[in-house]
Amino acid sequence: MVRVCFVCLGNICRSPAAEAIFGAMVKAAGLDREIDVDSAGTGAMHVGERADERARDEARRRGLEIMHEARQFVPADFKRFQYIVGMDASNLRALKAMPASARFTGSLSLMRSHDPASPANAAIPDPFYGSEKDFAEVFDLCETACKGLLERIATDRNLSLPQPS
Ligand code: 4NP
């Protein structure tokens, strides 16, 4: 099993959206027995909460349901996951500042680095203080990046993807 964890700050907006989008893609590709998907936050302020209502509404508009309850990323997650994907540079900095990250042998990447059309080091912008439109943009950016991430994992792990029709 390959395990993927998306990480943002609060684990109530961007990373649960990415988890739902990527999970649906993995399922559509028939790879849900091969690829496990989760998300976490570097902060603890929303632990135990369901995703932000604006994220859940946008998910629903796209035929997705976000069931995740927020949790904080813990040192043991560096052992559990092979792919850890941060939404912005500060998420990556917080992860790298954890001593357990030194022994991580998997892939630690920035979400938009999986989108070949994205500028270098671009973030999935934090929509928490934004509008409905900002949440829609988060979903659009995550969808594009998730496609690239799935191709990367399929290549790394020798998994076959259905041909696009
Ligand atoms: P997320 O968004 O990191 O995408 O879940 C945020 C959620 C909460 C806060 C900031 C960003 N906050 O400051 O409480």
Side-chain angles (χ1 to χ4, degrees):
M1 194 82 172
V2 188
R3 293 195 166 80
V4 180
C5 188
F6 295 101
V7 179
C8 61
L9 174 60
N11 194 213
I12 54 167
C13 300
R14 294 165 292 173
S15 61
E19 177 190 350
I21 291 164
F22 193 65
M25 260 179 217
V26 163
K27 195 155 189 236
L31 291 173
D32 44 328
R33 285 161 169 268
E34 278 79 21
I35 304 176
D36 187 51
V37 191
D38 194 11
S39 66
T42 58
M45 60 278 203
H46 296 283
V47 166
E49 292 177 23
R50 292 286 308 274
D52 188 290
E53 209 163 338
R54 297 164 295 173
R56 286 159 59 194
D57 288 347
E58 186 58 36
R60 227 170 280 120
R61 283 193 278 275
R62 295 172 188 238
L64 301 170
E65 195 75 50
I66 302 181
M67 298 303 297
H68 187 77
E69 280 181 15
R71 71 176 189 92
Q72 188 172 26
F73 191 93
V74 293
D77 288 323
F78 283 112
K79 289 193 182 147
R80 197 170 139 216
F81 295 97
Q82 293 81 46
Y83 292 85
I84 298 174
V85 186
M87 297 293 129
D88 65 30
S90 100
N91 306 147
L92 285 191
R93 269 196 303 277
L95 289 168
K96 286 177 184 165
M98 293 173 73
S101 71
R103 286 184 303 280
F104 180 58
T105 54
S107 156
L108 179 60
S109 63
L110 198 56
M111 183 66 156
R112 290 186 68 192
S113 71
H114 300 289
D115 170 5
S118 164
N121 304 316
I124 302 286
D126 181 350
F128 190 64
Y129 294 105
S131 65
E132 202 173 278
K133 194 168 145 279
D134 298 306
F135 278 82
E137 189 197 9
V138 163
F139 276 68
D140 287 342
L141 293 172
C142 283
E143 269 177 30
T144 308
C146 280
K147 284 183 196 150
L149 176 63
L150 184 55
E151 282 165 17
R152 151 94 191 270
I153 294 175
T155 303
D156 288 356
R157 302 276 160 162
N158 217 4
L159 300 168
S160 49
L161 288 176
Q163 293 306 308
S165 47

